[in-house]
Amino acid sequence: MIVHEGTLDARGLRVAIVAGRFNDFIGKELVEGAVGMLRRLGAADDDVELVWVPGAFEIPLAVQAAASSGRFDAVLALGVVIRGSTAHFEHVAGQSAAGIARVQHETQVPCVFGVLTTDTIEQAIERAGTKAGNKGAEAAATAVETVRALQSLRGGN
């Protein structure tokens, strides 16, 4: 049996991070976690680019621009959507997730969904570097492993 499996080696990979500025006190922690993980996995600072957009609803468009550019091996989508008392949460979170998934399938570039969708600010803070780890760092590791698995499957590195 032939097994294709990704590694956590980011050396030489070009990664775009698209981050929503809304709730940026949490979003900045996700970005720092992602950048820190990419560095630990061997990515060079020059191979990582950060794009800020207003919020989670705008993330898919910037993810599409990055993934379609041919410049990146993976794109991370990072942001925060916190449930409120209206249906706004479902619309923003759902459209963000669907848009990012669509871009990934259309471009064949791994686009990792690292948008926190939580009920409370406290839950978001926990997922941005406290009790529940840093979901930005997890998204970065997921992107690297996925790129490497696809390279193996496609007969590359």
Side-chain angles (χ1 to χ4, degrees):
M1 173 171 58
I2 298 171
V3 176
H4 297 278
E5 191 171 26
T7 64
L8 292 175
D9 179 3
R11 288 176 293 166
L13 295 185
R14 295 161 303 142
V15 179
I17 300 171
V18 176
R21 198 175 295 285
F22 197 77
N23 292 315
D24 73 341
F25 67 100
I26 298 168
K28 286 177 183 177
E29 295 297 321
L30 296 173
V31 169
E32 287 179 19
V35 171
M37 177 61 74
L38 290 168
R39 285 178 179 146
R40 285 191 298 281
L41 298 178
D45 285 345
D46 290 346
D47 288 336
V48 179
E49 295 186 31
L50 173 61
V51 179
W52 285 103
V53 296
F57 194 79
E58 293 76 29
I59 289 173
L61 181 60
V63 167
Q64 182 178 39
S68 299
S69 73
R71 296 175 43 221
F72 301 102
D73 298 297
V75 181
L76 306 181
L78 304 178
V80 184
V81 183
I82 300 171
R83 185 179 304 279
S85 58
T86 68
H88 184 255
F89 172 88
E90 283 80 10
H91 296 298
V92 172
Q95 289 300 313
S96 184
I100 293 162
R102 188 171 39 257
V103 171
Q104 176 171 254
H105 292 289
E106 289 172 358
T107 64
Q108 295 295 295
V109 172
C111 299
V112 178
F113 185 76
V115 177
L116 301 181
T117 54
T118 65
D119 290 322
T120 66
I121 290 173
E122 292 78 19
Q123 289 173 341
I125 291 169
E126 287 177 1
R127 289 163 178 77
T130 60
K131 292 180 186 176
N134 186 301
K135 299 305 179 185
E138 289 179 21
T142 296
V144 170
E145 186 174 355
T146 302
V147 168
R148 295 302 189 200
L150 290 173
Q151 286 175 338
S152 172
L153 185 63
R154 294 172 178 156
N157 308 4

